[in-house]
Each structure stands twice: as structure tokens, then as C-alpha cells.
């Protein structure tokens, strides 16, 4: 349902101005993807001694900073969507390789077992895309204010803990620790 005219109206510009910068909707889409990806922090720059948690935090930022982008990309079925998928796949390839390196580093440090990084990225992106598109529910039902950096960090810690520790069936109590010092 996106039209160039609607985009122009939403940003308070003329259609001619938008079309001067973006000749087609696909050009506009690529510009949005490029702008977003260029603004994201590097995934292979750990902030702590828990590279997996840091990697999850970066993926979480991807979903929360511009939640509509993930939904638009994952749900795109409009004509030309295969080319758009190929474009974004090419743009995120380096990030996916960096995330795989983070997983290998976490495994080598004894912080996780070896697992399929692409499967995890798929789960995180789809799941986080859904989370990011529902900030009110995340806050009111689950207690995570996605607009608050401390709550995003708390969610990152909890998800990193789950990823690192797994869901165990050995009778131990399961908890998502929110205090990084406990880790």
C-alpha cells in the first residue's frame, strides 16, 4: 500500500522532491534499508565479557530502532519482493558472518554450545521484529519498556542468559537473571 505520494505527504515534501531523490519505490526502500543498516553498531564489537549477550543486544537494537523495517521486509510479497530480499540478504551478509563469529567466540569461551547461527538469527529477527512492533504489549504485559535503554539491556541480558544456559530439563529452577553482576 505504500505510494510515493503518501511518503511525500507524510514527510511534508512534494512528490517531485521525493522522486528527485528516489526514482522508484524500490530505490526508496533500498535507501531506508541502507540508512538503517549504516546506523547500527557493529555486531563484532563486544561491550562486555559476554559476546553472545552483546550480539543479542545488537540484534535486539535492529528490531527496536525501526520495527516497521523488519515487518516490511519479512512480510513483503509485492511484485519485486525477491529482488528486495536478495538486496537485504547481500547487505546483512557481513553482519550475519560477524554474528556467527560472536557465537564461535562464545562457544570457545565456554559460554555456549555450538549451534546454527543462521537459525538463531532467523528466530531472533522474526521474534524481535514481532516484539518491536508491539511496544505497548511488551511494557504492559511483559514489563519491558522498549523505549528505555535500561529495559532493552535487561531484555538483552535475559535473552543472552537463555541462549547461553538453554532451557534445561534437569530439575533446576529456570530464571532470566536481570542483574549482569550475577552472570
Amino acid at each position: 500500500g505504500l505510494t510515493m505520494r503518501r511518503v511525500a505527504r507524510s514527510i511534508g515534501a512534494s512528490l517531485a522532491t521525493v522522486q528527485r531523490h528516489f526514482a522508484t519505490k524500490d530505490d526508496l526502500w533500498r535507501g531506508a534499508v541502507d540508512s538503517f543498516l549504516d546506523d547500527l553498531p557493529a555486531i563484532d564489537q563486544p561491550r562486555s565479557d559476554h559476546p553472545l549477550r552483546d550480539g543479542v543486544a545488537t540484534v535486539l537494537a535492529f528490531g527496536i530502532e525501526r520495527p516497521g523495517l523488519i515487518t516490511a521486509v519479512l512480510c513483503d510479497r509485492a511484485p519485486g519482493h525477491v529482488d528486495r530480499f536478495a538486496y537485504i540478504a547481500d547487505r546483512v551478509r557481513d553482519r550475519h558472518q560477524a554474528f556467527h563469529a560472536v557465537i564461535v567466540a562464545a562457544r570457545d569461551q565456554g559460554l555456549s554450545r555450538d549451534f546454527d547461527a543462521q537459525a538463531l538469527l532467523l528466530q531472533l529477527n522474526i521474534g524481535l521484529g514481532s516484539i518491536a512492533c508491539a511496544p505497548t504489549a511488551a511494557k504492559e504485559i511483559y514489563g519491558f519498556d522498549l523505549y528505555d535503554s535500561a529495559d532493552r539491556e535487561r531484555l538483552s541480558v535475559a535473552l543472552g542468559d537463555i541462549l547461553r544456559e538453554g532451557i534445561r530439563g534437569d530439575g533446576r529452577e529456570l530464571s532470566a537473571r536481570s542483574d549482569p553482576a550475577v552472570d
Side-chain angles (χ1 to χ4, degrees), residues 78-161:
H81 73 278
V82 172
D83 292 337
R84 287 187 293 277
F85 280 127
Y87 181 80
I88 198 156
D90 185 56
R91 281 300 322 263
V92 300
R93 188 167 289 112
D94 290 343
R95 286 183 173 277
H96 284 199
Q97 290 170 348
F99 191 72
H100 187 269
V102 165
I103 289 171
V104 169
R107 183 201 61 213
D108 292 348
Q109 293 176 26
L111 299 173
S112 75
R113 62 180 180 80
D114 194 20
F115 54 87
D116 186 329
Q118 291 301 96
L120 177 61
L121 280 169
L122 175 66
Q123 169 60 37
L124 288 174
N125 283 323
I126 290 175
L128 294 175
S130 298
I131 290 169
C133 290
T136 302
K139 181 177 181 180
E140 297 302 321
I141 297 171
Y142 302 101
F144 291 101
D145 182 351
L146 301 180
Y147 298 111
D148 179 75
S149 61
D151 269 10
R152 284 196 311 267
E153 178 66 18
R154 187 168 62 95
L155 180 57
S156 297
V157 168
L159 291 173
D161 180 61

Side-chain angles (χ1 to χ4, degrees), residues 6-7 45 60 71 97 105-106 113 141 147:
R6 193 178 297 163
V7 169
Q45 308 261 328
L60 183 62
T71 301
Q97 290 170 348
R113 62 180 180 80
I141 297 171
Y147 298 111

Side-chain angles (χ1 to χ4, degrees), residues 2 25-40 58-77 81 84-85 87-89 91-92 95 124-126 128-134:
L2 175 72
K25 286 193 289 186
D26 281 347
D27 292 338
L28 177 65
W29 185 89
R30 281 189 290 277
V33 168
D34 291 344
S35 173
F36 175 65
L37 291 174
D38 291 344
D39 289 345
L40 282 177
T58 302
V59 173
L60 183 62
F62 182 91
I64 291 174
E65 292 299 322
R66 295 196 182 123
L69 182 61
I70 290 178
T71 301
V73 168
L74 296 176
C75 298
D76 187 359
R77 297 294 179 271
H81 73 278
R84 287 187 293 277
F85 280 127
Y87 181 80
I88 198 156
R91 281 300 322 263
V92 300
R95 286 183 173 277
L124 288 174
N125 283 323
I126 290 175
L128 294 175
S130 298
I131 290 169
C133 290

